[in-house]
Amino acid sequence: MVTNMIGELVLISAVVLLLFSFYKKMTVNDKYFERQNIKYLKPKFVVGNTGAMYFNKIDPVEIGLRFYNAFPDEPVFGIFDFQVPYYVVRLPEVIKKIGVKDFDYFQDHREFTDANTDKMWGNTIIMMRGEKWRQMRATLSPAFTGSKMRQMFELVSECADDIVQYFSKKSKNNEDINVEMKDLFTRYTNDVIATCAFGLKINSFEDPENTALNIEFLDASFATFFRNLILDTMEVRKNQNIYRPDMISLLMQARDGKLTHSDEKHALSKESFATVDESDIDKAVVNRTWNDDEIVAQCFGFFFAGFETGSTLLTFSAYELVVNPEVQQKLYEEIAKVNEQLGGQRIDYDTLQKMKYLDQVLCESLRKWPPIVQTDRNCVKEHVFDCGNGIKINAEKGALFFFPIIGLHRDPKYFPDPDRFDPERFSDENKISIVPGTYMPFGIGPRNCIGSRFALMEIKAILYYLLLNFSFEACEKTQIPVKLQKIPFSLKPENGMHVKLRKRQ
């Protein structure tokens, strides 16, 4: 009897100790910001402040704005992603300090995987860290200059024209066509990335079941298929001396150390207000050789980054053109005028980039609906800096910082009446007054999105061709105002984005 009681007590004690240890582990960081005298959102047990997002209780814009507005008078405050503490940087000057001026202390993103764990994901430039990232950034930067985009534009233009031809055939008697725009633009970005990254000519409208469209990014077998596809294509091109103005050819040059910054004197100084600025890192000397896994991973990363973000931005741009017909009309008039000047010939890269109102519309879409609603930085070495308001941060190595892109983009202090879609914010006379550090749809500093030029090029191209031939109008299934799915990170319409394409006479 006594032995049984002792056994039960030991078991109960072990359970209590186990639960206590679990509790301590889950709450070890709860006082993280309190120790630095920084305000913070009190975390919920285990899930911190982000549980509602991961459990599909709130959409990405809503939670982003909720965080941003939690402490409106604080330059920096704290939140918890489960148990992981993040400094939320609210003041543009501090964002610029971390993202640009003190970049050497904050050059990495939070680590989710590495090359040892996953050779495909871990080797992409998005996941690379430290000096390896710097060398890859300098290696790839020449591939995304204006001159390279100019060479690649014909491939993009063909994809856009294919879509117009498809829907023109479908509307033989000029009848209206109801289209789910997310599906349309996903097929388009699929075709663009397939031709520009893989060297594959695909038409996802004529062949809706093609392999590329049905890619499962997390499928282990896909990594092998993808790797073999890219390396085999490279081998054939090398042996047969084939050149095509796409990413594979550029990566072959990078692997051989022949990809360099070309003379950009004939290029436009900056194609768009949204285009990211280059840094010294982009033009640094590369002194390492890349292996096949590292080269193939860049092609994979290029596909993944362009596939989803491009179709998302296009989807919400189409929505805004539907609900703001005066904007659509003004944009159409610019497109029609350019088409007339071209004599009905296909538009070229430079002419497309000179279309001011088209750029204003895209910049405003990126402001209101940035496909990436936040970004982060990881402190790579201890750093102490002043944030204003008497707040000084002692950032230890590994400290994480969160830039609330959607919050800044919808802050009435920087963008009055932020829920209104107004491309005039980005007119020549108005954009000069935009506060630096408040508009960053492609990130900020040397760690910004390397593919911003490509993204804007493919988006402008399809809008030009579609709007030249069709108007975007609401149909009975169009949800106005649009509501978002309650899923982490990605902006997706709750019920799709259904739009009527009406053939222009």
Side-chain angles (χ1 to χ4, degrees):
M1 184 73 173
V2 173
T3 303
N4 289 340
M5 289 180 62
I6 292 174
E8 290 176 0
L9 287 173
V10 169
L11 179 61
I12 292 172
S13 298
V15 171
V16 170
L17 182 61
L18 184 64
L19 291 174
F20 180 73
S21 298
F22 176 74
Y23 174 80
K24 292 294 290 183
K25 184 178 180 179
M26 293 296 103
T27 60
V28 66
N29 286 324
D30 281 10
K31 302 296 182 181
Y32 183 88
F33 297 108
E34 197 171 301
R35 291 192 289 269
Q36 294 218 43
N37 198 30
I38 290 175
K39 293 183 179 179
Y40 64 98
L41 289 174
K42 187 176 180 181
K44 293 183 178 179
F45 183 61
V46 179
V47 298
N49 305 121
T50 56
M53 177 179 69
Y54 290 112
F55 293 112
N56 300 335
K57 302 294 185 183
I58 191 171
D59 69 64
V61 170
E62 185 180 352
I63 195 168
L65 294 177
R66 181 183 294 181
F67 287 158
Y68 182 78
N69 295 317
F71 299 97
D73 298 321
E74 297 299 310
V76 177
F77 61 90
I79 64 168
F80 292 86
D81 183 18
F82 282 81
Q83 294 84 46
V84 179
Y86 269 91
Y87 293 92
V88 179
V89 188
R90 205 178 186 280
L91 199 65
E93 299 93 293
V94 181
I95 289 176
K96 286 182 63 183
K97 184 176 181 64
I98 293 173
V100 182
K101 184 179 178 181
D102 293 350
F103 177 74
D104 287 348
Y105 294 91
F106 303 97
Q107 68 176 9
D108 292 340
H109 289 306
R110 179 180 176 181
E111 186 173 29
F112 291 98
T113 188
D114 58 30
N116 294 324
T117 305
D118 188 328
K119 286 185 178 181
M120 187 69 80
W121 280 104
N123 272 315
T124 62
I125 191 172
I126 300 170
M127 298 295 178
M128 282 183 176
R129 301 162 66 83
E131 184 59 26
K132 187 177 181 180
W133 168 80
R134 286 174 174 261
Q135 288 282 291
M136 182 57 79
R137 177 78 186 209
T139 298
L140 293 181
S141 181
F144 292 95
T145 59
S147 62
K148 295 299 190 297
M149 294 302 101
R150 189 175 291 103
Q151 296 172 29
M152 210 177 287
F153 181 70
E154 184 62 28
L155 302 177
V156 175
S157 183
E158 286 178 7
C159 293
D161 190 52
D162 285 345
I163 292 179
V164 171
Q165 297 304 320
Y166 173 81
F167 283 110
S168 292
K169 291 177 186 176
K170 201 170 182 181
S171 180
K172 288 181 180 178
N173 299 316
N174 294 331
E175 67 266 21
D176 297 340
I177 308 170
N178 290 346
V179 177
E180 201 288 293
M181 299 302 267
K182 186 65 169 71
D183 176 71
L184 186 160
F185 292 131
T186 296
R187 293 178 185 278
Y188 166 67
T189 55
N190 169 79
D191 293 357
V192 168
I193 302 298
T195 188
C196 292
F198 300 167
L200 299 175
K201 176 60 178 174
I202 290 173
N203 188 325
S204 295
F205 295 88
E206 298 292 350
D207 179 18
E209 303 303 323
N210 70 75
T211 303
L213 189 65
N214 294 309
I215 283 174
E216 292 289 342
F217 287 104
L218 299 180
D219 188 340
S221 63
F222 166 67
T224 301
F225 162 78
F226 188 95
R227 186 178 188 277
N228 292 338
L229 171 66
I230 300 301
L231 293 178
D232 289 348
T233 302
M234 286 182 169
E235 189 65 22
V236 169
R237 290 191 186 184
K238 181 179 179 180
N239 292 338
Q240 299 183 18
N241 197 27
I242 296 172
Y243 175 78
R244 190 172 184 269
D246 58 20
M247 186 56 58
I248 288 182
S249 291
L250 294 172
L251 288 173
M252 289 174 68
Q253 294 176 42
R255 184 176 62 178
D256 297 337
K258 298 177 181 178
L259 185 60
T260 59
H261 279 272
S262 57
D263 185 0
E264 293 285 311
K265 65 182 179 180
H266 298 300
L268 301 171
S269 57
K270 190 172 182 181
E271 293 91 334
S272 169
F273 182 80
T275 305
V276 300
D277 295 319
E278 290 186 331
S279 70
D280 292 339
I281 292 173
D282 289 307
K283 296 185 178 182
V285 175
V286 179
N287 52 24
R288 68 172 291 165
T289 302
W290 301 105
N291 62 40
D292 287 343
D293 288 327
E294 292 163 337
I295 289 294
V296 169
Q298 306 324 308
C299 211
F300 172 74
F302 180 53
F303 185 94
F304 176 76
F307 183 79
E308 181 62 27
T309 57
S311 61
T312 296
L313 178 58
L314 279 164
T315 298
F316 287 97
S317 296
Y319 167 76
E320 293 294 350
L321 292 172
V322 168
V323 298
N324 296 280
E326 72 287 352
V327 172
Q328 182 176 172
Q329 179 60 27
K330 186 173 180 179
L331 178 55
Y332 168 69
E333 289 172 2
E334 182 185 52
I335 290 171
K337 182 178 179 180
V338 169
N339 181 64
E340 184 179 359
Q341 292 170 345
L342 292 171
Q345 297 297 312
R346 274 188 183 178
I347 193 168
D348 59 84
Y349 180 80
D350 290 305
T351 303
L352 186 70
Q353 303 311 324
K354 291 175 183 176
M355 296 179 64
K356 290 189 175 183
Y357 196 66
L358 175 57
D359 188 58
Q360 289 175 221
V361 170
L362 261 295
C363 286
E364 177 67 347
S365 293
L366 283 163
R367 180 199 65 82
K368 191 175 178 183
W369 304 103
I372 307 299
V373 296
Q374 75 274 321
T375 188
D376 64 21
R377 293 293 185 274
N378 188 341
C379 184
V380 297
K381 50 187 173 181
E382 189 174 338
H383 187 48
V384 179
F385 61 99
D386 195 339
C387 294
N389 282 16
I391 296 177
K392 183 174 289 187
I393 291 182
N394 297 287
E396 75 271 17
K397 183 179 179 180
L400 294 168
F401 291 78
F402 178 98
F403 297 168
I405 295 173
I406 189 66
L408 290 159
H409 283 196
R410 295 203 187 182
D411 189 333
K413 179 180 177 182
Y414 307 119
F415 299 98
D417 196 6
D419 292 331
R420 183 166 64 95
F421 187 80
D422 181 15
E424 294 305 319
R425 300 179 201 272
F426 296 92
S427 65
D428 288 342
E429 56 269 28
N430 291 331
K431 64 186 179 183
I432 57 175
S433 63
I434 294 176
V435 177
T438 62
Y439 182 73
M440 46 181 178
F442 293 106
I444 189 171
R447 193 98 202 198
N448 55 31
C449 175
I450 195 171
S452 66
R453 280 190 177 88
F454 182 89
L456 291 167
M457 173 178 67
E458 69 168 341
I459 291 165
K460 288 180 178 180
I462 187 58
L463 287 180
Y464 175 88
Y465 281 106
L466 273 180
L467 288 170
L468 178 62
N469 292 275
F470 299 92
S471 62
F472 296 172
E473 301 181 16
C475 63
E476 59 183 25
K477 295 178 70 175
T478 308
Q479 185 183 58
I480 302 175
V482 64
K483 295 181 180 178
L484 300 179
Q485 291 184 30
K486 295 176 180 179
I487 54 177
F489 309 118
S490 182
L491 303 186
K492 291 186 177 179
E494 183 181 62
N495 298 319
M497 187 63 70
H498 298 273
V499 171
K500 181 191 299 179
L501 298 184
R502 174 161 290 175
K503 186 81 169 129
R504 295 190 188 274
Q505 300 303 314

